[in-house]
């Protein structure tokens, strides 16, 4: 399968699909953190390049409810509306299978409710971080390794220049579940 991992510079999701033998590319405005197939630029440039599956991680800066206290300013500046329009563009892309990932956000009230909410502890990581999935022609992710020890490590990260980037990296267990569960015969769903 040809897989596009939109808005990912870490390479975690891309590499999980590559390890399963798929033709996967990440795309982000930033360079990739690890060597691998990566398009550095706007995902809109390559959105119509014949992908079978897209996993999209649009920036949550103007969408996540954790930043609700800044919503009035984001609405006034148009940043929030622009972010919602980008999400809609990704969800409506001409790609047969789509998964869009974001934390608890206004996507749920402004576009539609998520199909699923997952946690890292469902996939082998003893941490909490509610992650919403909006799916098109894909099944819900099945937990692969439910573990104890539910710590909110991401929330407790100390301030740093790259905190935003570290908080956005997909957990390895979730990436592997996506790669293992969403790459069956493309005509199945």
């Amino acid at each position: 399968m040809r897989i596009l991992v939109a808005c990912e510079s870490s390479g975690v999701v891309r590499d999980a699909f590559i390890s399963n033998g798929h033709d996967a590319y990440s795309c982000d405005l930033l360079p990739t953190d690890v060597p691998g197939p990566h398009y550095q630029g706007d995902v809109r440039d390559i959105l119509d390049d014949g992908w079978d599956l897209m996993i999209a991680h649009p920036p949550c800066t103007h969408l996540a409810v954790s930043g609700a206290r800044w919503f009035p300013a984001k609405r006034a500046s148009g940043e929030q509306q622009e972010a919602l329009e980008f999400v809609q563009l990704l969800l409506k892309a001409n790609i047969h299978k789509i998964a869009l990932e974001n934390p608890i956000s206004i996507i749920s009230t402004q576009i539609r409710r998520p199909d699923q909410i997952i946690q890292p502890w469902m996939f082998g990581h003893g941490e909490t971080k509610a992650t919403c999935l909006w799916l098109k022609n894909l099944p819900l992710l099945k937990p692969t390794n439910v573990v104890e020890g539910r710590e909110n490590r991401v929330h407790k990260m100390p301030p740093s220049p790259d905190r935003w980037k570290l908080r956005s990296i997909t957990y390895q267990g979730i990436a592997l579940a996506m790669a293992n569960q969403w790459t069956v015969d493309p005509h199945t769903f």
Side-chain angles (χ1 to χ4, degrees):
M1 290 178 71
R2 290 196 73 230
I3 297 152
L4 172 62
V5 185
C7 310
E8 180 193 54
S9 62
S10 70
V12 172
V13 176
R14 175 201 66 206
D15 291 347
F17 282 94
I18 289 173
S19 71
N20 278 5
H22 296 282
D23 186 19
Y25 291 80
S26 55
C27 173
D28 199 272
L29 297 174
L30 299 173
T32 185
D33 295 342
V34 294
H38 182 76
Y39 176 79
Q40 184 178 347
D42 192 322
V43 69
R44 290 171 272 222
D45 297 343
I46 62 170
L47 207 52
D48 295 322
D49 286 1
W51 307 103
D52 298 306
L53 166 64
M54 175 176 64
I55 313 293
H57 308 276
C60 65
T61 307
H62 306 303
L63 303 169
V65 296
S66 59
R69 64 180 159 200
W70 293 288
F71 281 179
K74 291 174 184 295
R75 277 194 287 280
S77 70
E79 292 169 313
Q80 195 168 71
Q81 185 58 39
E82 186 178 320
L84 285 166
E85 289 170 5
F86 183 60
V87 166
Q88 287 178 315
L89 173 94
L90 293 171
L91 287 172
K92 292 178 180 177
N94 186 23
I95 299 171
H96 182 64
K97 296 179 182 184
I98 295 174
L100 187 131
E101 172 276 334
N102 231 245
I104 304 293
S105 71
I106 62 165
I107 296 171
S108 301
T109 57
Q110 300 298 311
I111 298 176
R112 71 174 175 91
R113 299 183 70 72
D115 296 291
Q116 184 176 21
I117 299 175
I118 60 172
Q119 291 277 354
W121 54 262
M122 300 164 79
F123 302 92
H125 304 275
E127 300 170 18
T128 60
K129 181 185 179 193
T131 303
C132 299
L133 298 174
W134 288 265
L135 306 172
K136 173 184 164 188
N137 296 321
L138 289 167
L140 301 179
L141 273 184
K142 295 176 187 157
T144 56
N145 181 17
V146 176
V147 297
E148 299 298 322
R150 314 258 167 89
E151 181 185 351
N152 194 348
R153 181 188 62 81
V154 171
H155 179 73
K156 294 177 181 177
M157 282 183 170
S160 72
D162 59 351
R163 182 176 189 253
W164 64 273
K165 189 173 183 179
L166 295 171
R167 289 172 54 117
S168 71
I169 296 173
T170 301
Y171 287 85
Q172 185 70 37
I174 294 173
L176 291 172
M178 291 174 172
N180 292 332
Q181 296 177 36
W182 289 345
T183 54
V184 294
D185 178 14
H187 304 293
T188 302
F189 304 112

